[in-house]
Amino acid sequence: MSAPAPSASDREIVLSRDFDAPRELVWRAFTEPEQIVRWWGPNGFRTTMKKWDFRVGGEWSHTMHGPDGTDYPNYSKFREIVPQERIAYVHGGGRADGPGAQFEASWTFEALGPKRTRVTGRMVFPTAQARDTVVREYGAIEGGKQTLARLAAHLAGTTPH
């Protein structure tokens, strides 16, 4: 008898946060490279954009620079773009001396009202072990929460009150 196939929940990380900003502003913060570099990454990180070709089949290449000087090169290829609703891509990355991180990612943007937006990110890994390695080696869950908190701070600075 074979073991049951692992469920997506065994292989995924899901992060969600509500923002006090209209969906259009949140979308632009996610899709304009000059904004992405201001907030992408956990606390203490900065991001250098190498390539941003925002279209289905286009590529996104960037390096996240950790506070300790470690570089984390990342490469993604966009699979789906539904303006102001959804972005999906395949992702690869890691660090020179560490394990790689390969997963499929999607971000959804849900208008909760005229000035409120819910963003949900879903990363699906090939195996539960691959997901667990990224959580252990890169702090992916806490780093994702910090990244969304940095987005909230960025939006608070760009959203008219």
Side-chain angles (χ1 to χ4, degrees), residues 23-106:
R23 182 164 67 169
E24 178 184 345
L25 278 181
V26 178
W27 176 262
R28 286 183 17 221
F30 246 88
T31 60
E32 295 176 355
E34 63 275 10
Q35 289 197 58
I36 296 167
V37 298
R38 293 185 198 142
W39 62 268
W40 188 266
N43 296 341
F45 278 69
R46 62 184 180 79
T47 297
T48 301
M49 192 72 66
K50 307 275 186 189
K51 183 174 187 177
W52 180 259
D53 183 9
F54 189 59
R55 62 180 176 82
V56 173
E59 300 172 359
W60 174 24
S61 175
H62 66 283
T63 299
M64 295 169 53
H65 309 281
D68 64 357
T70 302
D71 287 340
Y72 300 84
N74 289 267
Y75 170 83
S76 300
K77 188 169 188 174
F78 295 106
R79 286 190 159 175
E80 180 184 10
I81 298 169
V82 180
Q84 296 190 37
E85 291 182 17
R86 180 176 160 81
I87 301 168
Y89 53 88
V90 292
H91 174 87
R95 66 177 185 264
D97 64 343
Q102 275 71 43
F103 54 86
E104 295 182 13
S106 65

Side-chain angles (χ1 to χ4, degrees), residues 4-13 124-132:
S7 71
S9 63
D10 294 339
R11 301 182 293 120
E12 69 184 352
I13 296 171
V124 180
F125 295 82
T127 65
Q129 181 181 5
R131 186 226 28 218
D132 293 347

Side-chain angles (χ1 to χ4, degrees), residues 101-122:
Q102 275 71 43
F103 54 86
E104 295 182 13
S106 65
W107 294 94
T108 58
F109 303 80
E110 178 187 356
L112 301 176
K115 295 183 180 180
R116 223 155 138 70
T117 305
R118 176 171 296 144
V119 173
T120 302
R122 174 171 272 119

